[in-house]
Amino acid sequence: MIKTDFIVVGSGISGMYLAIQLSKYGKVLVVTKKKVFDSNSYNAQGGIAGVIDRYDSVGDHIKDTLKAGCYHNNTDAVNYLAKNAYKIINVLKKYGVKFSELSTKEGGHSYNRVHHTFDRTGKSITESLYEELKTKSNISILENTPVSDLVYNREEVFGVYAVLNKDIVEINSKVVVLSTGGLGQLFSITSNPRVATGDGISIAKNANIKLRDLEFIQIHPTALNMKNNPYLLLSETLRGEGAVLVDDKLNKIMEGIHILGDLAPRDIVTREVFKHKTYLDFRHKDKQFLSERFPFIYESLMRYGIDLSKDLVPITPAVHYSCGGIAVDLCGRTSLNNLYAVGEVACTGVHGANRLASNSLMECMVFTDRIVSEIINTYQNPKTNINKPLKLPFYSSNLNLINRIRDIMWDNVSVLRTKKGLEYSYDFLSAIKDTDSYELRNYITTSKEIVKSALKRGNSLGCHYIIT
């Protein structure tokens, strides 16, 4: 058994920043599934949204967020994010993040309020936080250590069970924070890294913790569409800087569809891209501008034989972000005492039915100070009737079944949904009885919860779009 004061599960932006803040009050153990930089945070390209320009306003940021979220948002959470965003921008600068001088605009924003470090904003923020984290002597990191379950009874959490060197180890703490990230890998077409398999949702469901809004899976409209190549995300900032979406006859597909054109909210753009053989066209900008403004994307496309300044870029929608997750209040509290959640795995209600671009990195950080204030007042009670872990390996040997689940989720639970397709998906997932690993269990459990939520919401809303 391992003991510590605080356990943070996940090493993305939310996990790192939380660990730094909690280290002021005790020993922190960060437990992460793979390497420390294996996260959606590290791969985030576009930027982090916040009002710091006197010509912009917090009120407009709030309006844009609510509009993109189809007014399904928690308005208190939206207000808190928008009003406190400038503080986070300043904190990041203090930690060494060197934002570009000019902010940019992304889909759904009425003003240039997206702060970026060219097209590797997530990498820059993550690396800066990691450098700060390494200066804290009371933070430890366990890499390559997936968490399988919580240690809990009906009232509260006392730690986690983790798979360390193929053995299940109990780690006890006063508080557990889940910051396990996203779930894009449940779908066959996704921009997410391999680690994003919805583990936190499955862990919470198995402990009967309340979930919320899982039907709202945001699809990014522009990922590279090339056979036998990964679905490289092509940041929305490309369109923010003037790229346009065209069909195979060079017609602008968003013309007349929405007042914001190519910068319409993501759900609207995604459905139009899905209807056509679509390309991203940036040929009206020269090589120098594109290679300097988007160095990572430009160089990545060149490796696939595509020159952004000369060639049309074939694109496809790809699963990108979960707007729902573990139900939390504004202090990150879940329905089980001593358990908190933050970042993409949590549902504060900020995003509503469809996330406004670049609000996600801000959400990862802006609620952390509030969570820490709440956490330091908690304590650990004597343990009674603690659950026992299953004796399973974490990773599955049944890759054929996992790939079948991913195909079914993409075909039936992504851009366009039908009641028949959702029912088929739920029946298929429910029929799987033999779970050979925690990984397979998580695929099944989280996928079922998404489908169940989608079936409950009969009408289209945001990125939940029913066609029959």
Side-chain angles (χ1 to χ4, degrees), residues 120-300:
R120 294 307 305 271
T121 306
K123 178 177 182 289
S124 178
I125 293 174
T126 305
E127 289 177 344
S128 296
L129 289 175
Y130 185 57
E131 290 303 311
E132 179 69 17
L133 183 150
K134 287 193 300 183
T135 68
K136 310 300 181 184
S137 60
N138 53 350
I139 299 178
S140 301
I141 300 177
L142 275 179
E143 293 184 308
N144 299 307
T145 308
V147 167
S148 58
D149 280 300
L150 299 170
V151 181
Y152 70 100
N153 62 22
R154 279 193 275 181
E155 287 81 33
E156 56 198 320
V157 167
F158 307 104
V160 300
Y161 293 112
V163 183
L164 180 60
N165 299 324
K166 297 186 179 179
D167 291 324
I168 296 175
V169 176
E170 182 176 336
I171 309 174
N172 285 165
S173 66
K174 298 175 183 178
V175 167
V176 175
V177 186
L178 296 177
S179 56
T180 53
L183 46 72
Q185 280 293 327
L186 301 180
F187 299 78
S188 57
I189 298 180
T190 180
S191 64
N192 286 192
R194 286 292 302 161
V195 294
T197 54
D199 299 339
I201 302 298
S202 177
I203 289 167
K205 176 61 182 176
N206 287 323
N208 297 312
I209 294 159
K210 291 181 182 178
L211 308 173
R212 185 167 61 215
D213 286 351
L214 281 175
E215 66 270 33
F216 299 120
I217 306 295
Q218 187 175 73
I219 319 290
H220 200 287
T222 56
L224 178 64
N225 186 17
M226 292 185 70
K227 191 174 182 180
N228 299 323
N229 284 309
Y231 296 101
L232 172 70
L233 183 71
L234 301 173
S235 170
E236 197 151 16
T237 52
L238 290 163
R239 285 174 285 132
E241 296 285 359
V244 295
L245 301 173
V246 298
D247 63 18
D248 52 356
K249 296 180 180 178
L250 299 185
N251 298 309
K252 296 179 179 180
I253 68 166
M254 293 305 299
E255 203 165 67
I257 300 296
H258 192 277
I259 191 170
L260 293 176
D262 289 298
L263 288 177
R266 287 178 177 177
D267 61 318
I268 296 170
V269 179
T270 291
R271 288 193 288 274
E272 291 304 312
V273 171
F274 197 68
K275 292 177 185 178
H276 304 275
K277 187 174 182 179
T278 310
Y279 300 86
L280 187 141
D281 188 358
F282 221 162
R283 296 175 299 168
H284 51 283
K285 291 284 188 177
D286 61 42
K287 178 179 178 178
Q288 182 177 350
F289 169 81
L290 294 174
S291 61
E292 290 178 357
R293 175 62 180 85
F294 302 103
F296 172 73
I297 293 174
Y298 188 88
E299 291 170 11
S300 297

Side-chain angles (χ1 to χ4, degrees), residues 11-25:
S11 59
I13 285 172
S14 57
M16 285 193 191
Y17 186 50
L18 189 71
I20 292 167
Q21 298 297 86
L22 284 175
S23 69
K24 302 170 186 175
Y25 306 101

Side-chain angles (χ1 to χ4, degrees), residues 56-165:
D56 193 9
S57 75
V58 168
D60 283 336
H61 190 184
I62 291 169
K63 289 177 185 177
D64 292 345
T65 300
L66 294 174
K67 188 173 182 180
C70 302
Y71 303 96
H72 184 71
N73 320 62
N74 176 344
T75 53
D76 288 340
V78 174
N79 290 344
Y80 187 80
L81 179 142
K83 290 175 180 177
N84 289 279
Y86 78 97
K87 296 178 184 177
I88 296 300
I89 299 298
N90 290 331
V91 166
L92 290 172
K93 288 178 179 178
K94 185 185 79 172
Y95 286 155
V97 179
K98 292 179 170 54
F99 291 110
S100 301
E101 288 187 17
L102 297 177
S103 54
T104 190
K105 184 188 289 188
E106 291 188 346
H109 287 277
S110 59
Y111 194 84
N112 288 33
R113 65 173 71 97
V114 177
H115 310 276
H116 61 92
T117 55
F118 300 101
D119 56 353
R120 294 307 305 271
T121 306
K123 178 177 182 289
S124 178
I125 293 174
T126 305
E127 289 177 344
S128 296
L129 289 175
Y130 185 57
E131 290 303 311
E132 179 69 17
L133 183 150
K134 287 193 300 183
T135 68
K136 310 300 181 184
S137 60
N138 53 350
I139 299 178
S140 301
I141 300 177
L142 275 179
E143 293 184 308
N144 299 307
T145 308
V147 167
S148 58
D149 280 300
L150 299 170
V151 181
Y152 70 100
N153 62 22
R154 279 193 275 181
E155 287 81 33
E156 56 198 320
V157 167
F158 307 104
V160 300
Y161 293 112
V163 183
L164 180 60
N165 299 324

Side-chain angles (χ1 to χ4, degrees), residues 292-343:
E292 290 178 357
R293 175 62 180 85
F294 302 103
F296 172 73
I297 293 174
Y298 188 88
E299 291 170 11
S300 297
L301 288 174
M302 286 296 288
R303 286 197 291 271
Y304 298 120
I306 297 172
D307 186 335
L308 190 58
S309 66
K310 297 178 180 178
D311 302 319
L312 294 172
V313 183
I315 59 170
T316 179
V319 168
H320 187 54
Y321 190 87
S322 173
C323 298
I326 299 170
V328 297
D329 64 10
L330 298 193
C331 295
R333 291 176 294 207
T334 72
S335 57
L336 204 54
N337 290 333
N338 301 338
L339 179 70
Y340 297 76
V342 65

